[in-house]
Amino acid sequence: MSDKTEQGSDHIDRLRGQWQRELPELDTSPMAVIGRARRITLRLRPGIEAVFARHGLDAGEFDVISTLRRAGAPWRLTPTELYRTLMISSGGLTARLNRLEAAGLIRRHEAEEDKRSLLVELTEAGHAKAEAAFREDMELEKRLLAGLSQREQDELAVLLRKLALSLEDNGAGAS
């Protein structure tokens, strides 16, 4: 069954209609945003992850090397800076770093100014891989957004930023 009917409604419209029939007093308008955002994420994820896989990476590994790449020269950060940026546990980061180091995409070494501190640095191979994967990802994402005009994309980006900031300000998230 297609996500669109002849009236232009989508899966979320159908769900809301079913809930309206079953619980007519309940406001299901949040589903119009949150439900669609979730479905969009679930639909987009496999294609984006396939881009990373073509570069020999999973999404978490890409997150690490892209964070290092966009940090700018000399493309190095402390593990603490990395896991705070990526919002993952230090244990989760360690596992990713181990895989990336084994693949020759990063190296870890002591900081010159503080021998107790460790630095994670992108290798030349990691630099090239991060950039190539990111370029391909942006090409894919541009194609995925082709159903919206540039103006619509800009408007949606403004609204999504507003929602993201509101959620951050309110400490919203998992409960």
Side-chain angles (χ1 to χ4, degrees), residues 68-79:
L68 290 166
R69 173 61 180 92
R70 70 176 184 265
W75 304 288
R76 68 174 74 123
L77 296 169
T78 67

Side-chain angles (χ1 to χ4, degrees), residues 25-45:
E25 76 286 356
L26 186 63
D27 177 14
T28 62
S29 62
M31 289 177 69
V33 175
I34 304 299
R36 283 188 178 99
R38 181 175 183 275
R39 284 187 60 83
I40 290 167
T41 299
L42 292 173
R43 278 214 160 166
L44 297 180
R45 177 177 266 158

Side-chain angles (χ1 to χ4, degrees), residues 50-140:
V51 167
F52 303 147
R54 281 193 291 279
H55 293 273
L57 301 165
D58 66 25
E61 293 163 345
F62 174 77
D63 284 347
V64 172
I65 66 171
S66 67
T67 298
L68 290 166
R69 173 61 180 92
R70 70 176 184 265
W75 304 288
R76 68 174 74 123
L77 296 169
T78 67
T80 301
E81 291 170 320
L82 277 169
Y83 81 74
R84 284 183 181 157
T85 298
L86 299 171
M87 296 187 308
I88 60 172
S89 70
S90 59
L93 177 63
T94 299
R96 290 179 190 179
L97 295 179
N98 289 342
R99 291 190 306 268
L100 291 167
E101 191 168 41
L105 301 177
I106 61 138
R107 66 178 145 267
R108 293 180 266 198
H109 55 84
E110 292 178 343
E112 292 175 15
E113 23 339 302
D114 180 1
K115 298 296 183 191
R116 296 170 297 161
S117 185
L118 190 66
L119 290 173
V120 179
E121 182 176 67
L122 206 54
T123 63
E124 284 186 36
H127 185 282
K129 191 170 289 266
E131 189 170 317
F134 183 66
R135 287 180 184 279
E136 186 178 341
D137 179 45
M138 288 299 96
E139 289 173 17
L140 171 65

Side-chain angles (χ1 to χ4, degrees), residues 15-29:
L15 293 179
R16 289 184 69 200
Q18 291 167 343
W19 280 117
Q20 178 65 39
R21 183 186 69 237
E22 296 299 315
L23 299 172
E25 76 286 356
L26 186 63
D27 177 14
T28 62
S29 62

